Amino acid sequence: MTVPKEMPEKWARARPPPSWSRKKPSWGTEEERRARANDREYNEKFQYASNCIKTSKYNILTFLPVNLFEQFQEVANTYFLFLLILQLIPQISSLSWFTTIVPLVLVLTITAVKDATDDYFRHKSDNQVNNRQSQVLINGILQQEQWMNVCVGDIIKLENNQFVAADLLLLSSSEPHGLCYIETAELDGETNMKVRQAIPITSELGDISKLAKFDGEVICEPPNNKLDKFSGTLYWKEDKFPLSNQNMLLRGCVLRNTEWCFGLVIFAGPDTKLMQNSGRTKFKRTSIDRLMNTLVLWIFGFLVCMGVILAIGNAIWEHEVGTRFQVYLPWDEAVDSAFFSGFLSFWSYIIILNTVVPISLYVSVEVIRLGHSYFINWDKKMFCMKKRTPAEARTTTLNEELGQVEYIFSDKTGTLTQNIMVFNKCSIYGRSYGDVFDVLGHKAELGEKPEPVDFSFNPLADKKFLFWDPSLLEAVKIGDPHTHEFFRLLSLCHTVMSEEKNEGELYYKAQSPDEGALVTAARNFGFVFRSRTPKTITVHEMGTAITYQLLAILDFNNIRKRMSVIVRNPEGKIRLYCKGADTILLDRLHHSTQELLNTTMDHLNEYAGEGLRTLVLAYRDLDEEYYEEWAERRLQASLAQDSREDRLASIYEEVENNMMLLGATAIEDKLQQGVPETIALLTLANIKIWVLTGDKQETAVNIGYSCKMLTDDMTEVFIVTGHTVLEVREELRKAREKMMDSSRSVGNGFTYQEKLSSSKLTSDLEAVAGEYALVINGHSLAHALEADMELEFLETACACKAVICCRVTPLQKAQVVELVKKYKKAVTLAIGDGANDVSMIKTAHIGVGISGQEGIQAVLASDYSFSQFKFLQRLLLVHGRWSYLRMCKFLCYFFYKNFAFTMVHFWFGFFCGFSAQTVYDQYFITLYNIVYTSLPVLAMGVFDQDVPEQRSMEYPKLYEPGQLNLLFNKREFFICIAQGIYTSVLMFFIPYGVFAEATRDDGTQLADYQSFAVTVATSLVIVVSVQIGLDTGYWTAINHFFIWGSLAVYFAILFAMHSNGLFDMFPNQFRFVGNAQNTLAQPTVWLTIVLTTVVCIMPVVAFRFLRLNLKPDLSDTVRYTQLVRKKQKAQHRCMRRVGRTGSRRSGYAFSHQEGFGELIMSGKNMRLSSLALSSFTTRSSSSWIESLRRKKSDSASSPSGGADKPLKG
Amino acid sequence: MEETPPHCLSRLPDNSALKQQELPAHQLYFTATRVLSAFFTMGIFCLCMGIILIVSARSTQEIEINYTRTCANCAKLRETASNFDKECTCSIPFYLSEKMMGNVYMYYKLHGFHQNLYRYIQSRSNRQLMGKDVKAVEDCSPFKTSNSNTPIVPCGAIANSMFNDTIILSYNINSSAQIKVPMLKSGLTWWTDKYIKFQNPSFKNLADEFRGTTKPPNWPNPIYELDEKDPRNNGFLNEDFIVWMPGAAFPTFKKLYGRLNQTHHFKEGLPAGNYSFNITYNFPVTRFQGEKSVVLSTLTWCGGNSLFLGLAYTVTGAVTWLASFAMMAIHTMLKSKKRSFFHQ
């Protein structure tokens, strides 16, 4: 079955329709669920949701009412509706209804069209999902059914690689013991396979006839969104069987490595855990949004003030003048006093002046953001050729915030690193292999590698494996015993499983990529791990198959940090092979190896200095009696009821002693492309990068070094590993003191305490001299994040140049982000690839998901996604910066143009008896914002660039104005408003001065209202067009077209509206007949327009010119230096791999869970056929599964949420 | 999961200049040469313009005589509405020291009369005025119909408040002989007003056409009797009526009353000498503290005797020049300091 991979993605992205709010059976909320197999009538009683999912919101009939209802829930739309209603009251209406309704309808239509398109695609994806086929057991026959027709209580059959159609109770499978493997990547992002097992009683229901007779009833919990919990009971044949999550297959999983399985549908459609989890993520707003809303509120306040002033003016005027003017204009019947007239005039002026907050503001902002999002989607430079994934702006409303990021929280594995381990170097018996030498014998730099080593002698070699040092292969070929033993160890001591599809085509399934890398290395060097049974391991050593007897696997765990195997070779010798972290293993070596140990240590240090992950290998020969005795004790311990783990550990410890050192391996945790460069560049842009990883401290620190977050030039790297509150506090305090000490010039150590008490975090710690880094462990972080310490932690961390938090849980990741968000008032960005990053991605202002990696959970939760970490620099420095710049310029101009437009009415009020007479023709008011001035500013908002993209990468400092919020803030807003008001004053008073006296050249009066309106409107359109011309920094053809086009359209519409034809048809609507041609033929009018334009624009030009001279900002400087290219640029070019010198750090390469050892030894995962061959003594039937389950539930229920199991970083 | 589905191949973004934000464009630089030369040019332009405007405005002549106080007795009479049928005339002598050359225009000027009130401006019916339907009075409140419910023609507050003083300019050739200065009552309006906006229902008997309607309350005569001498200057096409109908933008405004008919004594304009305005005072203004004047004026290419535009241009030009000098000074100072990036 070919199912497009994105399908589940679409389910989850969709917003759950309101109807999902528990459409439940008539008796109220479901308290428990009952489902009887093969009994549709019985199950129908409960009216459970069918398996048809509906993520769409509307259908053809409901679209209009529902969509309108939703749109009017937006404050802005309601406001305009309110204005519209005001306009319908004749006493206060000073504008025609259409001046409001036209823009409102336009806005509503645009939004509705967008919603309709979205919904259409949702319908389509729903249909596609609902029409997938599955095999359902109906009346004893397997029938093809569409997914949407699957009901609760049905038994369905799944085949390998199929999506699970609903939440199923696993009944039986093709595998022994009712086992079944699933991949849950769509659900939780984890790609490693998971095991599910049917309960024993049903696992025998292998064929259809038996299943058809199955009539068990499941009683279980109601639908919920907990992915890892399920509790229920199966009642069958008067017996009860407990059910747990271990028996469930959830919708969205994919069946793997299992031919078929049968399952009983428990939850269908919207009740499934996948759908229950697909809640809409919290709607994020940008800081500009929030600022904009505040400003709009202020403007409303301002509007009301103006209304009040004019209303008072009206009351006074009516009292003083209006009463006497009643011969010519009696008051309206409704008006009985000047006071009441003032009251009405207040509302009239609210209507007239409402254009200070134009409805088109919100739409335009959305349009611009949408444009920017498309630019991100279209960017070829953010397209990953390898994975064929373009960058994607999944949220279209956050773009400008990308230009303001101050903190980046990054995941490690899969984000900074590729999660590909490469066997890079090794040290065998005191000799180091793996360095690449060029012809002259110098260590070659990366990038100029010679030919890789040729492994063609070995037919079983993995073609993808590359190694550069030929001397190692030579050592193998001449039969150096240490080298052979080294690779033998690598081929034996692991928990990898092999699969051989065709002869010679080996596939290794390793639980951790490091193990895979090691076994693959051994394979290429002639020690091919071929197959294993519970009791044997078959290895092809230099072409000959040798079968070792596997006596014991001393499995890895976090405390031991090592693993061993005990094998008996064909000659009968028993040997223990061990690999593990150097810190642990070096203490357990035989003292005779001291000299070798020293050389190996040197090598280890060197490897660690290069950021490689190291493991030490050792072996020990065991004699028969000792082993027998030890094995006996081990058996005893494993049967012990209490503290079994501890006992086993001490027994293991005993045998892993006095070992002989063989050497060490160094594995490179491959960084993603361009990571160090990106980090360096972002650091230069004043962005602080914190790495939050689930990985171990050593690994994390190693990666920190290899991606240049940490360098050896750093003054100090503080490592906080305290286990108690006091320890952590002490460690943080010491770190701070050290930083203070080194940079202390004034004050004493206690000053910061006072600062802590004040909520605002201003700190001279931020300005400490020297570079520091902080590494903090998950368990310490738990204390550091407590309420009384979080500020101390934050202050310490922010003073450091780099912060690495290791072994953190997903929740802690989110907490750290939240902490910074809360106190630093800075924009945060979280980037990650896995399910464990989802919480932090959702918490941060901006979440970025790395696509094309494990699972899609992070991508689903993210706002932006792309497939390489290095694209982040482009996203922030180019797209983000531009978006911010454009949005700021847009807003400045937008407020300016509307104030210039609207305030003219205010001044006119003083001349027209405050009677709410508008200055302009009502058509001009209607069209000003949506036609005459909208497109040029939109074009600027979408296309403007101050400096070319290469420059923003070259001068990362250009990013700073965004972080400091310099381009649009309250001050800038007031400047724009002031400019707008200034313009409006000139716009009114210059024509007033001219018109009050002048006459036309034919003697007729010039100062009639209509000519005045046309003159002011024309000069306004010209002034704002010239202003947008000045604001547009980047004149593309589109800008030209829109700016000139807008002017042309203005004059075209003006003449059309004032034409005879329209007047003939609608004499009462188009009253300005002949005005344009009569007015605009006057030289005086044009002289007025020119003067107004000059007086409005010249100060702006002068101001900008002076600012450029006196206080140029960086972008100006860059713009002007562009022609004279200068030195400065290469700051980031000197970022080659430097620093072979290594301080003593080491990492060890184990990133997998324990537990596979037991699985292997039990043989449960082997096919029966292969089991039959092995002499396999059965132990108590489900013991390993029991213990596996217990371990899992232990770690899941521990408060730290499984902190001790290595999370993918 | 490794294989890339074929549809992914199409996911490579287009390499178009638009999509890659690489549209050819030119950038706006505020370089010193450009800005300063723009300022200098603009300054010169404004100064020249200003001087030209001032000179041409000074070349016109204008006389304005406020007759509100002079005719106080008439004003008093008109304050009581019941005296509407009592005639009141008033004569205002004045001396023209210089002769007014060329076309002379006579205006009446009202002070404090708000033709720009919202309800006032709205109160007219264009459908009626264009002669389509003389009974269309829907927009005309509060002067739609008379008490007996007959539609008013022309309806509305604007028409009702039409200026109805008669102003006659007399020239005293000598101390005894007075001749009336001939004034033209045509060409006072726009072409579009006369031929499109205002139309009589037909050219036949206007009185018949307006049957079934009534005159506005303030009017002494119905619309078809506005000009007793010239039958064509009646109905909606009466020039005084058309001049009155477009609302003025500001409370103080002047409207054209007539233009000099350049014949006989007045071929070259108004000769210097003694004149008087003989005014039939009908239009009450003192009730709302308004004033009225009569204005005689000559014109140039840029209109009347208005200095505002000329002065504004001159000031702007001067300021622009000063500013450009200041900017140049600042620029040179800074340039010598750091001869860096502002290059031409």
Side-chain angles (χ1 to χ4, degrees), chain A residues 26-40:
Chain A
S26 47
W27 61 78
T29 32
E30 189 176 343
E31 273 167 14
E32 58 172 22
R33 172 160 290 220
R34 288 160 174 271
R36 189 180 289 169
N38 292 321
D39 193 347
R40 280 197 171 181

Side-chain angles (χ1 to χ4, degrees), chain A residues 239-294:
Chain A
D239 233 338
K240 295 204 298 189
F241 307 94
L243 303 175
S244 77
N245 193 42
Q246 202 57 34
N247 316 113
M248 294 295 288
L249 302 177
L250 301 184
R251 181 172 184 150
C253 300
V254 183
L255 197 64
R256 297 278 185 213
N257 291 3
T258 313
E259 258 171 60
W260 50 261
C261 74
F262 283 98
L264 171 68
V265 178
I266 306 286
F267 300 122
D271 292 339
T272 57
K273 306 223 173 195
L274 175 72
M275 299 312 285
Q276 295 272 322
N277 258 303
S278 62
R280 185 68 172 172
T281 47
K282 194 171 65 180
F283 185 66
K284 290 180 183 176
R285 282 192 170 283
T286 66
S287 52
I288 294 240
D289 262 330
R290 287 186 293 270
L291 178 60
M292 209 162 77
N293 285 344
T294 324

Side-chain angles (χ1 to χ4, degrees), chain A residues 71 86 121 137 153 166 291 381 384 443 489 531 575 588 619 668 745 773 799 808 873 895 918-919 994 1100 1124:
Chain A
Q71 290 203 42
L86 278 186
F121 285 112
L137 189 66
L291 178 60
K381 291 181 186 134
C384 177
K443 271 189 183 177
L489 185 152
S531 63
R575 190 169 264 191
R588 312 184 173 276
Y619 69 92
E668 186 185 351
S745 50
V808 293
Q873 56 181 327
F895 286 120
T918 57
V919 177
V994 176
V1100 180
V1124 212

Side-chain angles (χ1 to χ4, degrees), chain A residues 1-11 124-125 127-133 147 161-163 186 252-254 256 856, chain B residues 1 3-8 11:
Chain A
M1 179 166 142
T2 53
V3 178
K5 204 182 155 214
E6 303 103 357
M7 287 318 299
E9 180 182 343
K10 279 181 188 149
W11 310 337
K124 249 174 85 172
S125 83
N127 282 344
Q128 199 178 343
V129 170
N130 286 333
N131 290 329
R132 283 187 193 167
Q133 296 293 321
W147 275 27
N161 297 334
Q162 275 186 346
F163 274 107
E186 311 291 3
C253 300
V254 183
R256 297 278 185 213
I856 50 164
Chain B
M1 287 306 195
E3 75 276 16
T4 40
H7 70 267
C8 286
R11 296 172 76 184

Side-chain angles (χ1 to χ4, degrees), chain A residues 881 946-947 951-952 955-962 1114-1115 1118:
Chain A
R881 210 184 82 82
D946 56 343
V947 296
R951 300 293 166 272
S952 21
Y955 302 95
K957 284 279 170 216
L958 285 173
Y959 193 74
E960 265 179 19
L1114 186 60
S1115 76
V1118 170

Side-chain angles (χ1 to χ4, degrees), chain B residues 11 19 23 77 79 88 92 120 151 163 220 233 293 314 325 331 333 339:
Chain B
R11 296 172 76 184
K19 294 188 172 183
L23 284 175
L77 186 78
E79 274 184 34
C88 179
I92 304 142
Y120 184 86
F163 181 80
N233 194 21
S293 319
T314 318
F325 279 121
H331 176 70
M333 246 162 56
R339 38 182 59 262

Side-chain angles (χ1 to χ4, degrees), chain A residues 538-728:
Chain A
T538 307
V539 180
H540 267 233
E541 287 185 7
M542 303 307 287
T544 47
I546 299 175
T547 302
Y548 291 87
Q549 213 182 333
L550 178 61
L551 298 175
I553 295 179
L554 284 55
D555 206 356
F556 165 84
N557 74 24
N558 271 319
I559 304 151
R560 286 160 41 74
K561 294 184 177 176
R562 61 186 184 268
M563 80 161 287
S564 308
V565 290
I566 301 175
V567 292
R568 193 199 299 270
N569 67 7
E571 287 93 63
K573 277 180 76 179
I574 298 174
R575 190 169 264 191
L576 173 135
Y577 289 109
C578 179
K579 64 179 182 194
D582 50 1
T583 43
I584 305 282
L585 225 58
L586 294 178
D587 300 338
R588 312 184 173 276
L589 295 177
H590 197 266
H591 47 81
S592 65
T593 56
Q594 193 55 47
E595 208 167 307
L596 175 59
L597 181 68
N598 290 342
T599 0
T600 312
M601 281 303 295
D602 290 345
H603 291 156
L604 278 174
N605 288 343
E606 190 186 325
Y607 300 156
E610 289 165 33
L612 302 174
R613 299 163 65 135
T614 54
L615 277 181
V616 172
L617 312 184
Y619 69 92
R620 181 184 175 189
D621 285 319
L622 301 175
D623 50 33
E624 192 71 41
E625 301 89 74
Y626 178 77
Y627 170 72
E628 290 296 336
E629 182 257 345
W630 179 82
E632 180 56 35
R633 278 194 288 135
R634 178 178 176 233
L635 188 63
Q636 293 292 328
S638 65
L639 293 177
Q641 288 301 314
D642 52 334
S643 63
R644 175 170 162 264
E645 305 277 313
D646 295 346
R647 287 191 188 197
L648 273 178
S650 68
I651 285 170
Y652 288 169
E653 184 125 11
E654 184 186 313
V655 74
E656 289 163 331
N657 227 329
N658 285 332
M659 292 183 288
M660 304 300 289
L661 182 62
L662 253 180
T665 59
I667 290 177
E668 186 185 351
D669 190 354
K670 274 201 124 173
L671 288 179
Q672 298 268 6
Q673 245 182 334
V675 167
E677 291 84 353
T678 307
I679 288 184
L681 194 63
L682 293 177
T683 314
L684 285 178
N686 213 11
I687 300 174
K688 300 193 180 69
I689 302 172
W690 294 26
V691 171
L692 308 178
T693 173
D695 240 322
K696 286 167 295 293
Q697 181 187 322
E698 293 87 342
T699 329
V701 169
N702 267 346
I703 291 301
Y705 276 98
S706 57
C707 61
K708 305 294 172 217
M709 278 182 66
L710 308 177
T711 56
D712 288 321
D713 310 336
M714 285 192 150
T715 324
E716 192 164 348
V717 177
F718 304 112
I719 296 184
V720 179
T721 52
H723 280 271
T724 64
V725 180
L726 286 177
E727 277 169 31
V728 175

